[in-house]
Amino acid sequence: MNSLPFAYLIPIFLIALYLILKKKKVAIEPLTDVDKKILDDYVSYYHNLDSTDKIRFEEKVATFFSTVKIEPVGLEMTTLDELLIASSAVIPIFGFDDWQYKNLTSVLLYPDTFNKDFQFEGGERNIMGMVGTGYMNGQMILSRSALRHGFSKSAGKENTAIHEFVHLLDKSDGATDGIPENLLAHEYTLPWIKMMHEEMEKIEDNKSDINPYALTNQAEFFAVVSEYFFEKPELLKDKHPELYFQLSRIFAQQPAG
């Protein structure tokens, strides 16, 4: 059987290579003036940035919209909802130049709390947000009521959506264990674990103002104190300076200034 002449193989090879290397480019649409006004009114983190960092924040939000699908379930999505979700994603990674959530394809927005079977009507419903596993891998579910509360003035140290995106950061190294190895140099791992457990003991003894939900496990501790770090950075720095310093190192930013 005669083989194809080498000259014929070259264009076939080049076409195959082109198809392999070709990347689908998704258009990144810049935010509108209305979008920016919403961010300024509802996202205090954005409001407190200088003009240069605001532009960078807007670019990261636009990039998030181009890479992650946001889908409403049982509700009508608003621009506010979309911008709050994107802001929740951007805030924890704002200290990194080119971070993308490669372990996330879509965010499902529910009207309210839901149960472990993802039902948001009837029965006991106490879940405000979760990162999917198993067949739900690559998806996040958020409650709109919790999402909006997290950006309200009454939220205090809590922000459910930021909490869930911190779980995704934690999970990016392959394990959701409260030790973000992609963000924490190896020599700081043991001191971080030690610090977590020392603070967990204080919470158990009612000697800490950190939400007791942090006692669930290391992963929840990390997510809970990260909420505190981004929502009330000055207070965290005042009450827990070492914890604030470690989180500043992990997230490569100092929100308390």
Side-chain angles (χ1 to χ4, degrees):
M1 185 177 184
N2 293 330
S3 58
L4 281 172
F6 184 70
Y8 286 103
L9 292 175
I10 293 175
I12 294 172
F13 171 76
L14 291 175
I15 291 170
L17 186 64
Y18 169 77
L19 292 174
I20 291 169
L21 297 178
K22 182 183 176 185
K23 291 182 180 178
K24 184 181 178 183
K25 291 189 177 181
V26 180
I28 298 177
E29 295 186 13
L31 301 191
T32 66
D33 289 341
V34 173
D35 295 333
K36 296 172 190 177
K37 178 71 165 59
I38 292 172
L39 286 176
D40 207 46
D41 288 345
Y42 289 91
V43 182
S44 59
Y45 182 99
Y46 170 86
H47 178 81
N48 294 329
L49 295 174
D50 61 32
S51 57
T52 302
D53 279 342
K54 277 185 176 177
I55 293 170
R56 199 160 63 85
F57 192 96
E58 293 156 15
E59 290 170 349
K60 286 181 178 291
V61 166
T63 300
F64 181 81
F65 285 145
S66 73
T67 55
V68 177
K69 193 172 183 182
I70 302 175
E71 301 180 81
V73 179
L75 56 81
E76 189 171 325
M77 184 80 74
T78 69
T79 301
L80 172 62
D81 296 323
E82 292 174 329
L83 287 168
L84 293 184
I85 290 170
S87 295
S88 307
V90 169
I91 288 169
I93 54 93
F94 193 64
F96 314 120
D97 289 335
D98 55 359
W99 183 279
Q100 287 190 18
Y101 291 95
K102 294 179 181 175
N103 52 355
L104 181 68
T105 56
S106 63
V107 177
L108 306 180
L109 187 65
Y110 280 21
D112 209 331
T113 50
F114 51 96
N115 61 25
K116 57 184 176 58
D117 296 318
F118 313 118
Q119 301 298 313
F120 53 86
E121 291 179 346
E124 288 191 13
R125 296 174 290 108
N126 58 3
I127 303 174
M128 295 184 289
M130 69 176 291
V131 172
T133 56
Y135 74 93
M136 290 288 288
N137 201 41
Q139 298 187 65
M140 178 187 291
I141 304 175
L142 290 172
S143 150
R144 176 160 71 179
S145 57
L147 170 70
R148 292 189 176 185
H149 175 71
F151 286 92
S152 69
K153 289 183 170 60
S154 60
K157 308 163 193 164
E158 299 175 7
N159 187 306
T160 296
I162 288 177
H163 180 111
E164 297 305 326
F165 278 103
V166 169
H167 276 322
L168 273 185
L169 286 179
D170 186 7
K171 188 180 181 181
S172 67
D173 59 20
T176 312
D177 55 5
I179 308 164
E181 293 179 37
N182 286 342
L183 313 179
L184 190 64
H186 181 70
E187 63 265 29
Y188 300 125
T189 299
L190 288 178
W192 170 243
I193 294 171
K194 183 172 181 286
M195 183 177 292
M196 282 197 289
H197 286 277
E198 285 175 351
E199 194 61 41
M200 288 167 92
E201 287 178 13
K202 291 177 185 176
I203 298 170
E204 271 191 309
D205 295 336
N206 293 316
K207 294 177 180 176
S208 174
D209 65 335
I210 293 171
N211 188 329
Y213 188 64
L215 291 174
T216 307
N217 53 45
Q218 288 183 176
E220 295 301 345
F221 179 90
F222 177 45
V224 166
V225 297
S226 297
E227 292 178 73
Y228 194 160
F229 177 73
F230 290 113
E231 289 298 308
K232 294 292 180 183
E234 293 85 2
L235 186 63
L236 182 69
K237 188 176 183 180
D238 179 55
K239 289 185 172 289
H240 309 274
E242 292 182 4
L243 192 53
Y244 175 86
F245 176 74
Q246 283 283 21
L247 289 169
S248 294
R249 176 181 278 153
I250 289 171
F251 293 111
Q253 52 181 305
Q254 298 203 32

